Amino acid sequence: MLQINNGQFDSTWNITDDQVMGGKSQSYINLVSDYAVFNGTISSDGGGFCTTQSRDLYPIDVSQYDGLALTVSSEKNFIYKMALGDATDKFFYVTWEAAFEVQAGQTWQTIYIPFDSFSPSWYGYYQWSWLFPLDTA
């Protein structure tokens, strides 16, 4: 589990919702003990997205793992997208994206996303994996 420093939380994590383009979605991220809770409401009227991100985290070596486990809950069936960046300096800013589905209900679910299911993307356009391999170190 990623340990989050309480003193730096507010300055390193932020949200962006579809309100930047006239949408009605709204989200929040809060620190609870030593982990973050991201929650909100997505409205498909005017965009339909909520994001949270941190660009200021130190590089995290995840090379000893083969994926991510997320604990999630949703009132509706949705397909979400997880995006990762790495410390590799590239001319183009590339993220690696993987979609995952959350079943409706108030029960918490653990979703496992293997690193090899992430695909490189540049501003929403998928790229060749061989050209931009994900660096987990």
Side-chain angles (χ1 to χ4, degrees):
M1 178 181 291
L2 173 64
Q3 299 294 313
I4 298 174
N5 181 323
N6 189 19
Q8 296 176 335
F9 181 77
D10 289 337
S11 65
T12 59
W13 288 88
N14 57 54
I15 59 144
T16 303
D17 300 330
D18 60 12
Q19 294 177 11
V20 299
M21 53 185 274
K24 298 177 181 173
S25 300
Q26 189 169 12
S27 65
Y28 308 91
I29 187 165
N30 299 304
L31 185 64
V32 177
S33 191
D34 62 348
Y35 60 92
V37 175
F38 176 61
N39 58 29
T41 303
I42 295 176
S43 171
S44 59
D45 181 15
F49 71 86
C50 295
T51 66
T52 185
Q53 61 273 337
S54 175
R55 296 186 192 272
D56 297 329
L57 282 178
Y58 49 87
I60 301 168
D61 183 353
V62 295
S63 60
Q64 64 183 343
Y65 304 102
D66 57 4
L68 298 174
L70 306 174
T71 303
V72 297
S73 175
S74 180
E75 292 179 3
K76 299 179 182 178
N77 287 342
F78 273 119
I79 295 177
Y80 294 92
K81 187 186 323 180
M82 168 65 84
L84 302 174
D86 71 14
T88 305
D89 185 23
K90 294 184 174 62
F91 178 71
F92 297 108
Y93 181 72
V94 176
T95 59
W96 286 263
E97 301 175 352
F100 62 96
E101 185 173 1
V102 178
Q103 298 297 314
Q106 292 300 312
T107 60
W108 290 98
Q109 305 161 54
T110 299
I111 305 293
Y112 177 72
I113 310 171
F115 287 133
D116 63 7
S117 68
F118 283 82
S119 298
S121 174
W122 181 66
Y123 294 101
Y125 296 98
Y126 286 101
Q127 306 299 310
W128 299 285
S129 296
W130 59 266
L131 185 59
F132 299 105
L134 176 60
D135 181 6
T136 58

